[in-house]
Amino acid sequence: MGIEKNMRSSYIDNLKSVMIFSVVIGHFAEAALSQSDVFKSMFIWLYFFHMPLFIFISGFLSKRLTQNKERTLQKSFEYFTLYLIMKFSLSLVKSFCTGKEIAFSLFSETSVPWYLFAMILMYLTSYALRKFNQKIVFGLFVILALFIGYDKEVRDVFVLSRYIVFYPFFILGLNCTEENLKKLKSIKLLLPLAIIVLLGSIAIAYLYPDIVYEFRPMLTARNPYTSLDEPLETYGPLCRLFVYLVGSVIGLAILIVTPKLNLGYLSKVGARTLPIFFFHRQILWLFDKIELYNILQDKLGSLGGNIIWLFLGVSLTFILSIKFFEIPFTWWHNLLLKKTKTN
């Protein structure tokens, strides 16, 4: 079977599976990083590449969508409704867990719903700029990303900082063809190099967690350069370029090592990322409420507690990938798509 047909199914689903596991495990690691150097290393390694690559894949899958006005508006409206629901549900759960009043800011977002709003901006921008030279658009947004780090006020308002910093990866995905990926996968020498890159980057994050952790403010793409410690603050734009480079190299390595074959349920997980993304953070808040990580540490010790905590993150990803959780999202998507076609 040629890669063209496979690329639309198993390969992309496998990539999305890797990414959604990275997102969930990254959040589980974040909840434990202050108590575990292992999770600190895991968190920082995952955050170097998981969102850039996820957004690259989103761009790759949005070629036709961003060429059509009706589909762009339909998808944007779909994501906006999901954004509102997710913001409200997270606010409710967070209020329950912390005992504080519900805090809700419509167009400012610090937590996971930012991705949905950023995707709306990326869809609309890509449609509006579809006839412009994409290399120039890419270059302008990279330059803009370097300058926006000097602005302390942008941050989470309309998720502008994340949108600007991550949009170049969306552009790369939009302009990456199946033939490009086919050539990438066909060069046999790249596979061992990709494995070396992955193992080497993991080793660096594990051996030097405190040094690598200094780049954390840049990894979320929402912080100004002043959030960096000296001397990194002085070289803010270079730090952003460094994060771009490392994330791109690791992401490229993952593109190379990800298999094209159908991996059974692992591939299905990649086809059902939306409900996993939508629900996992609320559940993690509830785990934090009962201090589950601390309980595991007390009962099982550091090693046993960390293993079970990681197992819970993986298990939650599998559970939320059950088709049942996808039903409301599929219904809403099909309803909007049907209205778009009838209009």
Side-chain angles (χ1 to χ4, degrees), residues 272-289:
R272 300 170 183 170
T273 56
L274 188 54
I276 302 170
F277 169 81
F278 195 90
F279 292 118
H280 81 277
R281 196 64 185 85
Q282 291 91 323
I283 296 172
L284 185 53
W285 267 109
L286 296 175
F287 286 170
D288 287 341
K289 167 72 173 177

Side-chain angles (χ1 to χ4, degrees), residues 183-196:
K183 289 180 179 178
L184 185 68
K185 299 287 289 181
S186 66
I187 303 175
K188 295 182 179 180
L189 179 62
L190 291 180
L191 181 58
L193 291 177
I195 294 173
I196 291 172

Side-chain angles (χ1 to χ4, degrees), residues 181-305:
L181 293 178
K182 179 180 178 181
K183 289 180 179 178
L184 185 68
K185 299 287 289 181
S186 66
I187 303 175
K188 295 182 179 180
L189 179 62
L190 291 180
L191 181 58
L193 291 177
I195 294 173
I196 291 172
V197 166
L198 294 177
L199 294 179
S201 60
I202 292 172
I204 292 172
Y206 178 76
L207 294 173
Y208 308 102
D210 293 333
I211 295 176
V212 180
Y213 195 76
E214 293 292 326
F215 290 94
R216 178 180 179 175
M218 292 294 96
L219 301 184
T220 57
R222 59 179 288 265
N223 297 304
Y225 296 141
T226 52
S227 61
L228 292 165
D229 293 332
E230 287 291 357
L232 294 182
E233 181 184 345
T234 303
Y235 304 101
L238 292 179
C239 288
R240 175 144 287 155
L241 286 175
F242 175 75
V243 169
Y244 269 159
L245 177 63
V246 174
S248 298
V249 171
I250 297 177
L252 188 62
I254 291 175
L255 289 175
I256 293 168
V257 302
T258 300
K260 296 180 291 181
L261 300 176
N262 189 305
L263 300 178
Y265 199 81
L266 273 174
S267 296
K268 287 186 178 180
V269 170
R272 300 170 183 170
T273 56
L274 188 54
I276 302 170
F277 169 81
F278 195 90
F279 292 118
H280 81 277
R281 196 64 185 85
Q282 291 91 323
I283 296 172
L284 185 53
W285 267 109
L286 296 175
F287 286 170
D288 287 341
K289 167 72 173 177
I290 63 175
E291 298 184 348
L292 182 56
Y293 179 74
N294 291 333
I295 293 174
L296 292 174
Q297 292 287 295
D298 293 339
K299 298 293 185 182
L300 303 174
S302 179
L303 178 60

Side-chain angles (χ1 to χ4, degrees), residues 10-260:
S10 298
Y11 179 66
I12 292 299
D13 285 343
N14 292 342
L15 281 172
K16 291 175 66 180
S17 182
V18 171
M19 290 303 96
I20 199 62
F21 273 109
S22 298
V23 169
V24 177
I25 293 172
H27 286 147
F28 269 73
E30 183 178 20
L33 63 82
S34 64
Q35 303 177 61
S36 169
D37 284 341
V38 172
F39 279 123
K40 188 175 186 178
S41 298
M42 186 181 298
F43 166 82
I44 205 71
W45 183 74
L46 290 171
Y47 267 65
F48 259 102
F49 72 86
H50 81 294
M51 284 317 303
L53 186 51
F54 215 142
I55 290 174
F56 169 86
I57 297 169
S58 298
F60 180 81
L61 295 174
S62 301
K63 292 180 176 63
R64 294 183 181 178
L65 183 150
T66 54
Q67 294 298 314
N68 183 282
K69 179 180 178 180
E70 288 72 24
R71 287 284 289 117
T72 298
L73 294 176
Q74 174 261 316
K75 194 67 173 180
S76 298
F77 178 74
E78 177 184 348
Y79 270 27
F80 186 66
T81 57
L82 295 178
Y83 165 78
L84 293 177
I85 295 170
M86 190 176 189
K87 274 183 70 74
F88 188 66
S89 64
L90 275 172
S91 297
L92 284 176
V93 174
K94 188 174 182 179
S95 176
F96 169 75
C97 292
T98 62
K100 299 179 180 179
E101 293 184 359
I102 295 177
F104 190 91
S105 179
L106 183 60
F107 294 115
S108 181
E109 182 54 53
T110 62
S111 190
V112 286
W114 75 262
Y115 170 78
L116 296 171
F117 199 89
M119 288 305 300
I120 296 170
L121 298 179
M122 292 181 192
Y123 289 144
L124 295 174
T125 303
S126 298
Y127 174 75
L129 302 180
R130 68 192 185 282
K131 295 182 179 180
F132 286 79
N133 186 306
Q134 293 298 291
K135 293 180 180 179
I136 294 177
V137 175
F138 174 82
L140 288 176
F141 267 87
V142 170
I143 294 172
L144 189 57
L146 297 180
F147 277 100
I148 201 170
Y150 288 110
D151 192 328
K152 302 176 184 179
E153 305 300 324
V154 177
R155 303 194 69 162
D156 304 312
V157 179
F158 293 102
V159 300
L160 281 177
S161 183
R162 281 167 159 156
Y163 152 66
I164 290 170
V165 173
F166 286 132
Y167 186 58
F169 293 100
F170 192 86
I171 297 175
L172 290 176
L174 274 179
N175 292 277
C176 177
T177 66
E178 294 179 5
E179 187 63 28
N180 294 146
L181 293 178
K182 179 180 178 181
K183 289 180 179 178
L184 185 68
K185 299 287 289 181
S186 66
I187 303 175
K188 295 182 179 180
L189 179 62
L190 291 180
L191 181 58
L193 291 177
I195 294 173
I196 291 172
V197 166
L198 294 177
L199 294 179
S201 60
I202 292 172
I204 292 172
Y206 178 76
L207 294 173
Y208 308 102
D210 293 333
I211 295 176
V212 180
Y213 195 76
E214 293 292 326
F215 290 94
R216 178 180 179 175
M218 292 294 96
L219 301 184
T220 57
R222 59 179 288 265
N223 297 304
Y225 296 141
T226 52
S227 61
L228 292 165
D229 293 332
E230 287 291 357
L232 294 182
E233 181 184 345
T234 303
Y235 304 101
L238 292 179
C239 288
R240 175 144 287 155
L241 286 175
F242 175 75
V243 169
Y244 269 159
L245 177 63
V246 174
S248 298
V249 171
I250 297 177
L252 188 62
I254 291 175
L255 289 175
I256 293 168
V257 302
T258 300
K260 296 180 291 181

